[in-house]
Amino acid sequence: MGQQLNRITQHPDVMGGKACIRGMRVTVGMVVAQIAAGHSMEEVLHDFPYLEQDDIKQALCYAAWRADEREVVLVTA
């Protein structure tokens, strides 16, 4: 991983230990789901005004890293 993920935190007592943004109760999954649903970065920042653009970028980097680190069995058509 080329980039340090200093905005992604995990604590057992915050959101069940899921990866969160800067210790807040906003999970990486929540942010990535918004982008996957077609929302722009600006829309996500509007919905979560306490986030910063770099938070979203790191959430996407973290998700990509995790997806690359595990084997996921996909259904084939």
Side-chain angles (χ1 to χ4, degrees):
M1 167 129 245
Q3 178 184 4
Q4 182 183 7
L5 298 174
N6 58 352
R7 292 173 175 261
I8 308 301
T9 57
Q10 281 185 288
H11 301 288
D13 55 337
V14 178
M15 300 301 283
K18 292 181 181 180
C20 292
I21 308 296
R22 294 185 284 127
M24 293 185 273
R25 301 183 75 75
V26 178
T27 66
V28 168
M30 292 165 65
V31 173
V32 172
Q34 291 289 314
I35 297 294
H39 296 277
S40 69
M41 193 174 294
E42 291 75 23
E43 290 172 316
V44 175
L45 291 171
H46 181 267
D47 291 344
F48 300 93
Y50 35 85
L51 294 183
E52 300 171 1
Q53 190 172 17
D54 284 342
D55 295 328
I56 297 170
K57 289 179 182 178
Q58 280 199 18
L60 293 169
C61 286
Y62 177 83
W65 171 70
R66 289 300 307 255
D68 199 37
E69 288 297 310
R70 325 171 115 178
E71 182 176 330
V72 179
V73 179
L74 301 175
V75 176
T76 56

